[in-house]
Amino acid sequence: MEILTWNVQAARGVDGRVDVARVAGVIAAAGVPDLICLQEVAQHYPELDGGLGADQAAAFSARFPQHTAFFGPALDRLGAAGPRRRFGNLVLARPPVEQCFMHPLPQPPEAGIRHMPRQAIEVVVRDGNRALRLVTLHLEYHARSHRIAQVERLLALHREICGHVERPPLADDAGPYAATPRPATAVVCGDFNFEISDPEYAAMIDPGADPRAGLADAWAHRHGPGTHRPTCGVHDHVQWTEGPHCRDFFFVTQDLLPRVEAVEVDEVTDASDHQPVRLRLSPLQQ
Protein backbone atom coordinates (compact mmCIF):
# COMPACT_ATOMS: atom_id res chain seq x y z
CA MET A 1 0.00 0.00 0.00
CA GLU A 2 1.33 3.41 -0.95
CA ILE A 3 0.12 6.68 0.58
CA LEU A 4 0.96 10.22 -0.52
CA THR A 5 0.52 13.41 1.48
CA TRP A 6 0.97 16.85 -0.06
CA ASN A 7 -0.02 20.40 0.82
CA VAL A 8 -0.82 21.58 -2.70
CA GLN A 9 -1.46 25.28 -1.87
CA ALA A 10 -4.66 25.33 -3.94
CA ALA A 11 -2.58 23.97 -6.87
CA ARG A 12 -0.46 27.14 -6.95
CA GLY A 13 3.14 26.51 -7.97
CA VAL A 14 6.17 28.53 -7.00
CA ASP A 15 5.82 30.25 -10.40
CA GLY A 16 2.40 31.58 -9.27
CA ARG A 17 0.47 29.48 -11.79
CA VAL A 18 -2.57 27.56 -10.51
CA ASP A 19 -2.68 24.20 -12.30
CA VAL A 20 -4.50 21.13 -10.97
CA ALA A 21 -3.33 19.11 -13.98
CA ARG A 22 0.30 19.84 -13.15
CA VAL A 23 -0.13 18.72 -9.55
CA ALA A 24 -1.95 15.56 -10.64
CA GLY A 25 0.79 14.86 -13.16
CA VAL A 26 3.46 15.03 -10.47
CA ILE A 27 1.46 12.57 -8.35
CA ALA A 28 0.98 10.13 -11.24
CA ALA A 29 4.55 10.35 -12.55
CA ALA A 30 5.96 8.20 -9.74
CA GLY A 31 2.99 5.80 -9.82
CA VAL A 32 -0.51 6.57 -8.60
CA PRO A 33 -0.68 5.87 -4.84
CA ASP A 34 -3.48 3.83 -3.29
CA LEU A 35 -4.32 6.75 -0.99
CA ILE A 36 -3.79 10.38 -1.93
CA CYS A 37 -4.03 12.96 0.87
CA LEU A 38 -4.07 16.60 -0.21
CA GLN A 39 -4.21 19.68 1.98
CA GLU A 40 -5.25 23.23 0.98
CA VAL A 41 -7.75 22.18 -1.66
CA ALA A 42 -10.09 25.01 -2.72
CA GLN A 43 -13.69 24.73 -3.86
CA HIS A 44 -15.27 27.82 -5.50
CA TYR A 45 -12.78 30.06 -3.67
CA PRO A 46 -11.44 32.59 -6.21
CA GLU A 47 -9.30 34.36 -3.61
CA LEU A 48 -7.27 31.18 -3.28
CA ASP A 49 -6.96 29.91 -6.84
CA GLY A 50 -6.07 33.01 -8.80
CA GLY A 51 -9.66 34.12 -9.44
CA LEU A 52 -10.79 30.87 -11.09
CA GLY A 53 -13.26 29.86 -8.38
CA ALA A 54 -12.94 26.25 -9.56
CA ASP A 55 -14.04 23.09 -7.79
CA GLN A 56 -10.61 21.63 -7.17
CA ALA A 57 -11.98 18.67 -5.20
CA ALA A 58 -13.94 17.61 -8.29
CA ALA A 59 -11.02 18.37 -10.60
CA PHE A 60 -8.60 16.19 -8.62
CA SER A 61 -11.21 13.45 -8.38
CA ALA A 62 -11.66 13.49 -12.17
CA ARG A 63 -7.90 13.04 -12.61
CA PHE A 64 -7.96 9.84 -10.54
CA PRO A 65 -11.15 8.03 -11.60
CA GLN A 66 -10.17 4.76 -9.89
CA HIS A 67 -10.28 6.54 -6.53
CA THR A 68 -13.22 7.66 -4.39
CA ALA A 69 -13.06 11.26 -3.15
CA PHE A 70 -13.70 12.44 0.42
CA PHE A 71 -13.50 16.21 0.85
CA GLY A 72 -13.35 17.70 4.32
CA PRO A 73 -13.64 21.51 4.27
CA ALA A 74 -12.23 23.33 7.27
CA LEU A 75 -13.86 26.47 5.86
CA ASP A 76 -17.41 26.42 4.48
CA ARG A 77 -18.61 29.93 3.79
CA LEU A 78 -21.31 31.74 1.88
CA GLY A 79 -19.94 33.19 -1.32
CA ALA A 80 -20.77 36.65 -2.62
CA ALA A 81 -22.64 34.94 -5.45
CA GLY A 82 -22.88 31.37 -6.62
CA PRO A 83 -21.74 28.24 -4.78
CA ARG A 84 -20.39 28.07 -1.25
CA ARG A 85 -16.66 28.62 -0.77
CA ARG A 86 -14.85 25.71 0.83
CA PHE A 87 -11.22 25.03 1.69
CA GLY A 88 -9.72 21.98 3.33
CA ASN A 89 -8.42 18.45 2.98
CA LEU A 90 -9.08 15.86 0.30
CA VAL A 91 -8.59 12.10 0.43
CA LEU A 92 -8.68 10.04 -2.76
CA ALA A 93 -8.90 6.33 -1.95
CA ARG A 94 -8.52 3.38 -4.29
CA PRO A 95 -9.19 0.70 -1.63
CA PRO A 96 -12.79 0.34 -0.42
CA VAL A 97 -13.58 2.81 2.37
CA GLU A 98 -15.53 1.21 5.21
CA GLN A 99 -16.19 4.45 7.10
CA CYS A 100 -15.39 8.14 6.90
CA PHE A 101 -15.29 10.70 9.73
CA MET A 102 -14.79 14.46 9.66
CA HIS A 103 -13.11 15.93 12.75
CA PRO A 104 -13.12 19.68 13.42
CA LEU A 105 -10.01 20.58 15.40
CA PRO A 106 -9.82 23.00 18.35
CA GLN A 107 -9.57 26.72 17.73
CA PRO A 108 -8.94 28.22 21.19
CA PRO A 109 -9.67 31.94 21.59
CA GLU A 110 -6.47 33.97 21.32
CA ALA A 111 -6.49 37.67 20.50
CA GLY A 112 -3.95 39.29 18.25
CA ILE A 113 -2.94 36.13 16.35
CA ARG A 114 -4.17 35.09 12.93
CA HIS A 115 -5.82 31.69 12.87
CA MET A 116 -8.49 29.82 10.96
CA PRO A 117 -10.61 26.68 11.46
CA ARG A 118 -8.76 23.41 10.96
CA GLN A 119 -10.02 19.92 10.18
CA ALA A 120 -8.93 16.28 9.88
CA ILE A 121 -10.41 13.51 7.72
CA GLU A 122 -10.40 9.91 8.91
CA VAL A 123 -11.13 7.05 6.53
CA VAL A 124 -11.14 3.34 7.34
CA VAL A 125 -9.88 1.34 4.37
CA ARG A 126 -9.51 -2.35 3.69
CA ASP A 127 -5.95 -3.59 4.07
CA GLY A 128 -6.02 -7.19 2.89
CA ASN A 129 -8.47 -8.97 5.15
CA ARG A 130 -8.14 -6.32 7.85
CA ALA A 131 -8.73 -2.59 8.13
CA LEU A 132 -6.49 0.43 8.45
CA ARG A 133 -7.35 3.95 9.63
CA LEU A 134 -5.92 6.87 7.70
CA VAL A 135 -6.12 10.38 9.14
CA THR A 136 -4.95 13.42 7.19
CA LEU A 137 -4.91 16.99 8.45
CA HIS A 138 -3.53 20.50 8.27
CA LEU A 139 -2.74 22.10 11.63
CA GLU A 140 -2.67 25.82 12.42
CA TYR A 141 0.37 27.75 11.24
CA HIS A 142 0.30 31.03 13.20
CA ALA A 143 -0.78 29.98 16.70
CA ARG A 144 1.25 27.39 18.62
CA SER A 145 -1.46 27.20 21.29
CA HIS A 146 -3.81 25.98 18.56
CA ARG A 147 -1.35 23.36 17.30
CA ILE A 148 -0.86 22.05 20.82
CA ALA A 149 -4.63 21.80 21.37
CA GLN A 150 -5.06 20.17 17.96
CA VAL A 151 -2.37 17.57 18.67
CA GLU A 152 -3.99 16.85 22.02
CA ARG A 153 -7.36 16.33 20.28
CA LEU A 154 -5.81 13.96 17.71
CA LEU A 155 -4.12 11.90 20.41
CA ALA A 156 -7.26 11.82 22.55
CA LEU A 157 -9.22 10.58 19.56
CA HIS A 158 -6.63 7.86 18.93
CA ARG A 159 -6.73 6.75 22.58
CA GLU A 160 -10.52 6.67 22.45
CA ILE A 161 -10.50 4.39 19.42
CA CYS A 162 -7.92 2.11 21.04
CA GLY A 163 -10.26 1.89 24.02
CA HIS A 164 -13.21 0.93 21.84
CA VAL A 165 -11.14 -1.85 20.25
CA GLU A 166 -10.31 -3.21 23.70
CA ARG A 167 -13.84 -2.75 25.03
CA PRO A 168 -16.15 -3.05 22.02
CA PRO A 169 -19.72 -1.77 22.34
CA LEU A 170 -22.82 -3.88 21.95
CA ALA A 171 -23.56 -4.00 18.21
CA ASP A 172 -26.49 -4.92 15.97
CA ASP A 173 -26.27 -7.04 12.83
CA ALA A 174 -27.39 -4.13 10.66
CA GLY A 175 -28.36 -0.47 10.78
CA PRO A 176 -26.58 2.46 12.42
CA TYR A 177 -25.59 0.39 15.47
CA ALA A 178 -23.99 -2.34 13.34
CA ALA A 179 -20.39 -3.31 14.04
CA THR A 180 -18.19 -1.56 11.44
CA PRO A 181 -14.38 -1.77 11.33
CA ARG A 182 -12.51 1.06 13.05
CA PRO A 183 -9.15 -0.38 14.12
CA ALA A 184 -6.44 1.02 16.35
CA THR A 185 -3.94 0.49 13.51
CA ALA A 186 -3.49 3.90 11.92
CA VAL A 187 -1.51 6.27 9.72
CA VAL A 188 -1.71 9.98 10.57
CA CYS A 189 -0.27 12.31 7.94
CA GLY A 190 -0.37 15.82 6.57
CA ASP A 191 0.99 19.31 7.13
CA PHE A 192 1.52 19.56 10.87
CA ASN A 193 3.11 23.03 10.79
CA PHE A 194 5.67 22.05 13.41
CA GLU A 195 9.29 20.97 13.21
CA ILE A 196 11.03 18.03 14.86
CA SER A 197 12.49 20.33 17.53
CA ASP A 198 9.04 21.54 18.61
CA PRO A 199 7.09 20.22 21.62
CA GLU A 200 4.15 19.32 19.38
CA TYR A 201 6.36 16.81 17.56
CA ALA A 202 7.50 15.33 20.88
CA ALA A 203 3.87 15.00 21.97
CA MET A 204 2.96 13.07 18.80
CA ILE A 205 5.52 10.34 19.52
CA ASP A 206 5.12 10.24 23.32
CA PRO A 207 3.03 7.20 24.28
CA GLY A 208 2.31 8.66 27.72
CA ALA A 209 0.62 6.33 30.16
CA ASP A 210 -0.84 4.12 27.43
CA PRO A 211 1.89 2.50 25.26
CA ARG A 212 -0.76 1.01 22.96
CA ALA A 213 -1.72 4.49 21.87
CA GLY A 214 1.82 5.55 20.95
CA LEU A 215 2.64 6.76 17.46
CA ALA A 216 5.99 6.67 15.67
CA ASP A 217 7.53 8.92 13.03
CA ALA A 218 7.82 6.68 9.97
CA TRP A 219 10.69 8.74 8.53
CA ALA A 220 12.75 8.54 11.73
CA HIS A 221 12.09 4.80 11.91
CA ARG A 222 13.26 4.25 8.35
CA HIS A 223 16.09 6.77 8.06
CA GLY A 224 17.03 7.63 11.63
CA PRO A 225 16.03 10.46 14.00
CA GLY A 226 16.98 13.96 12.92
CA THR A 227 17.58 12.99 9.28
CA HIS A 228 14.34 14.42 7.86
CA ARG A 229 14.52 15.81 4.36
CA PRO A 230 12.88 19.22 3.83
CA THR A 231 9.22 19.27 2.82
CA CYS A 232 8.79 23.03 2.34
CA GLY A 233 10.96 26.02 1.62
CA VAL A 234 12.86 23.98 -0.95
CA HIS A 235 11.91 26.17 -3.93
CA ASP A 236 9.76 28.93 -2.41
CA HIS A 237 12.11 31.28 -0.56
CA VAL A 238 9.61 34.15 -0.43
CA GLN A 239 7.06 32.54 1.90
CA TRP A 240 9.71 30.42 3.63
CA THR A 241 12.52 32.87 4.40
CA GLU A 242 13.96 30.39 6.92
CA GLY A 243 14.87 28.08 4.05
CA PRO A 244 14.23 24.36 3.55
CA HIS A 245 12.82 22.46 6.52
CA CYS A 246 10.40 19.64 7.36
CA ARG A 247 6.84 20.08 8.59
CA ASP A 248 5.00 17.28 6.71
CA PHE A 249 5.03 13.86 8.39
CA PHE A 250 3.75 10.32 8.46
CA PHE A 251 3.06 9.04 11.98
CA VAL A 252 2.10 5.36 12.30
CA THR A 253 1.06 3.01 15.07
CA GLN A 254 3.74 0.70 16.43
CA ASP A 255 2.27 -2.39 14.76
CA LEU A 256 2.85 -0.80 11.33
CA LEU A 257 6.57 -0.12 11.83
CA PRO A 258 7.69 -3.57 10.52
CA ARG A 259 5.75 -2.83 7.31
CA VAL A 260 7.36 0.56 6.59
CA GLU A 261 9.30 -0.14 3.39
CA ALA A 262 9.98 3.41 2.27
CA VAL A 263 9.35 7.06 3.14
CA GLU A 264 10.40 9.47 0.40
CA VAL A 265 10.21 13.20 -0.30
CA ASP A 266 10.04 14.51 -3.87
CA GLU A 267 12.33 17.53 -3.62
CA VAL A 268 12.32 18.20 -7.37
CA THR A 269 8.81 19.48 -8.05
CA ASP A 270 7.95 23.15 -7.54
CA ALA A 271 4.22 22.69 -8.22
CA SER A 272 3.50 23.87 -4.64
CA ASP A 273 5.39 25.52 -1.81
CA HIS A 274 5.46 22.09 -0.12
CA GLN A 275 6.88 18.82 -1.40
CA PRO A 276 4.93 15.55 -1.77
CA VAL A 277 5.83 12.79 0.68
CA ARG A 278 5.19 9.08 0.05
CA LEU A 279 4.92 6.18 2.47
CA ARG A 280 5.06 2.58 1.24
CA LEU A 281 3.83 -0.26 3.45
CA SER A 282 4.71 -3.86 2.68
CA PRO A 283 1.85 -6.31 2.11
CA LEU A 284 0.00 -7.46 5.20
CA GLN A 285 1.09 -10.91 6.30
CA GLN A 286 -2.01 -13.08 6.27
Side-chain angles (χ1 to χ4, degrees):
M1 178 177 286
E2 188 164 277
I3 308 170
L4 175 142
T5 183
W6 192 4
N7 181 331
V8 296
Q9 193 181 218
R12 183 187 299 276
V14 176
D15 59 4
R17 181 162 58 92
V18 174
D19 192 340
V20 166
R22 176 171 59 178
V23 172
V26 171
I27 295 171
V32 178
D34 300 288
L35 295 158
I36 302 169
C37 303
L38 305 179
Q39 301 88 46
E40 293 199 20
V41 174
Q43 192 176 55
H44 312 304
Y45 225 129
E47 296 94 332
L48 299 176
D49 68 354
L52 298 174
D55 185 344
Q56 293 188 340
F60 278 116
S61 181
R63 295 278 172 177
F64 300 99
Q66 302 303 314
H67 292 59
T68 303
F70 299 87
F71 183 50
L75 302 179
D76 186 337
R77 295 174 174 171
L78 184 66
R84 297 187 68 81
R85 299 180 179 188
R86 298 185 174 98
F87 185 59
N89 307 309
L90 177 68
V91 173
L92 300 169
R94 181 157 46 201
V97 172
E98 302 278 0
Q99 294 198 82
C100 177
F101 301 88
M102 304 292 179
H103 302 291
L105 297 177
Q107 191 180 13
E110 186 165 358
I113 295 181
R114 296 176 69 199
H115 54 79
M116 57 178 275
R118 301 288 176 167
Q119 186 265 6
I121 304 177
E122 173 192 347
V123 294
V124 180
V125 300
R126 292 183 193 170
D127 181 19
N129 293 327
R130 303 185 195 174
L132 169 74
R133 281 192 306 114
L134 171 72
V135 180
T136 192
L137 51 87
H138 184 193
L139 302 189
E140 177 56 48
Y141 171 75
H142 294 283
R144 166 164 283 174
S145 63
H146 284 215
R147 287 195 302 276
I148 291 172
Q150 290 159 5
V151 166
E152 289 174 350
R153 176 68 57 83
L154 291 166
L155 295 174
L157 175 66
H158 181 57
R159 289 192 296 269
E160 177 183 293
I161 294 167
C162 290
H164 283 300
V165 172
E166 183 179 271
R167 299 179 295 279
L170 183 65
D172 296 342
D173 294 332
Y177 287 100
T180 308
R182 196 181 186 189
T185 300
V187 174
V188 183
C189 66
D191 178 359
F192 289 82
N193 269 321
F194 56 62
E195 300 185 54
I196 60 173
S197 58
D198 290 335
E200 302 97 300
Y201 174 88
M204 285 294 298
I205 59 175
D206 180 4
D210 188 354
R212 300 164 309 159
L215 296 171
D217 179 350
W219 180 280
H221 170 75
R222 187 67 184 173
H223 300 282
T227 65
H228 295 71
R229 299 301 303 166
T231 65
C232 65
V234 176
H235 301 284
D236 186 343
H237 306 298
V238 176
Q239 293 187 93
W240 303 109
T241 56
E242 65 268 57
H245 60 288
C246 179
R247 62 180 59 222
D248 303 83
F249 299 92
F250 278 102
F251 295 99
V252 301
T253 47
Q254 298 291 329
D255 58 322
L256 284 177
L257 287 178
R259 295 179 56 196
V260 174
E261 280 191 347
V263 191
E264 301 166 343
V265 180
D266 176 353
E267 296 181 53
V268 175
T269 182
D270 62 356
S272 172
D273 65 325
H274 284 246
Q275 309 304 124
V277 188
R278 288 180 182 246
L279 169 70
R280 187 169 68 248
L281 300 175
S282 62
L284 181 67
Q285 297 298 316
Q286 303 298 329

